[in-house]
Amino acid sequence: MKPLLIGIAGGSASGKTTIAQCLKEEFEQTRSVVIIREDDYYKDQSEKTMAERVKTNYDHPFAFDHALMIEQIDALLAGQAIEKPVYDFVQHTRSTLTEVVEPCDVVVLEGLFVLEEPELRKRLNIKVYVDTDADIRFIRRLMRDVEERGRTLQSVVNQYTETVRVMHEQFIEPSKRYADVIIPEGGSNVVAIDLLKTKISSIISPNML
Ligand code: CTP
């Protein structure tokens, strides 16, 4: 049977990863669940210098290799294993490592453009948008990028004001209209996450997979 494909979109640092992880933990006792992060499909920039890489607009769809992502999603939906890229946020390019993902029952796709990109959207069985206020997202992003992604406070502020905020308003926020479920306040919304789990359980009853 075809795997169930769940898409989780939302702004940067809205809580997409937390919700994807909650779903994985809930269902992996009985089902094989994999999380595919759109971030891993950022284009390879190994031919560029670091100075050039820093200038990329990482919040525009052109920054991603969506063709490869769609090809690999289709392979998973066809019950095949994939060897997916792994992204290195510190080096701003694809890592030299890849990761093998085995065929599974449930695929959770999480990323900025999962609802915006029509070819991804049309494949989704459940479409989720994580709707977290911009001030909270900015604070989280600042802390995360400094602690985990090797950034300075000033670089995070510059990137946010020059590209992240503008692209969010142009591409990400409007994609909310395509969602089946909108989760306010991201990963801390226990009731909304429970409702989502109940819906998924009803779909992945033994007859459906
Ligand atoms: N990004 C970056 N530098 C790169 C590549 C990406 O700063 N070399 C940033 C982009 O600006 C984009 C963000 O990474 O806004 C995408 O990741 P984000 O959605 O913030 O992280 P997730 O963990 O996928 O989501 P969440 O925080 O909602 O769990």
Side-chain angles (χ1 to χ4, degrees):
M1 287 291 186
K2 221 174 165 186
L4 182 73
L5 189 60
I6 302 164
I8 304 181
S12 173
S14 55
K16 301 182 289 296
T17 310
T18 308
I19 292 177
Q21 204 53 45
C22 284
L23 298 183
K24 182 170 164 66
E25 281 161 21
E26 174 76 11
F27 295 105
E28 72 185 350
Q29 286 87 14
T30 53
R31 303 284 177 188
S32 50
V33 184
V34 299
I35 299 174
I36 301 288
R37 305 179 63 204
E38 187 186 34
D39 292 346
D40 281 328
Y41 294 86
Y42 271 115
K43 285 181 181 157
D44 182 55
Q45 301 200 107
S46 51
E47 301 295 307
K48 292 186 181 174
T49 64
M50 189 53 111
E52 287 169 333
R53 291 180 201 174
V54 172
K55 288 190 199 135
T56 300
N57 178 353
Y58 292 101
D59 292 82
H60 192 281
F62 287 170
F64 293 90
D65 187 349
H66 280 138
L68 176 64
M69 185 172 177
I70 291 160
E71 186 189 310
Q72 297 204 330
I73 297 301
D74 283 346
L76 284 174
L77 292 178
Q80 295 157 11
I82 59 167
E83 187 177 349
K84 69 167 197 59
V86 174
Y87 192 69
D88 181 341
F89 281 95
V90 176
Q91 298 302 324
H92 297 277
T93 191
R94 245 174 227 177
S95 156
T96 49
L97 304 172
T98 55
E99 192 186 327
V100 173
V101 179
E102 299 295 342
C104 54
D105 298 324
V106 180
V107 181
V108 182
L109 282 190
E110 72 98 341
L112 298 173
F113 292 93
V114 161
L115 294 188
E116 201 276 340
E117 163 55 54
E119 287 299 318
L120 288 174
R121 186 171 72 236
K122 75 181 189 193
R123 287 163 169 78
L124 300 173
N125 301 111
I126 299 180
K127 301 187 267 304
V128 179
Y129 184 91
V130 188
D131 198 11
T132 303
D133 290 344
D135 55 350
I136 302 294
R137 291 192 294 102
F138 175 73
I139 293 167
R140 283 194 198 146
R141 180 172 169 126
L142 178 63
M143 293 170 70
R144 177 193 68 192
D145 284 5
V146 170
E147 284 167 18
E148 297 170 23
R149 295 187 180 177
R151 310 295 162 84
T152 62
L153 186 149
Q154 194 58 54
S155 78
V156 178
V157 170
N158 291 349
Q159 189 186 6
Y160 189 84
T161 49
E162 284 163 20
T163 50
V164 179
R165 184 170 176 277
V166 192
M167 296 295 109
H168 178 86
E169 285 169 8
Q170 187 176 338
F171 293 108
I172 312 306
E173 176 79 23
S175 76
K176 186 164 49 174
R177 79 182 70 163
Y178 301 118
D180 301 312
V181 184
I182 298 170
I183 302 188
E185 302 311 329
S188 57
N189 192 330
V190 179
V191 174
I193 295 170
D194 276 350
L195 288 170
L196 190 57
K197 287 176 182 171
T198 305
K199 175 64 188 165
I200 296 168
S201 298
S202 76
I203 298 177
I204 59 173
S205 66
N207 309 332
M208 296 297 294
L209 283 177

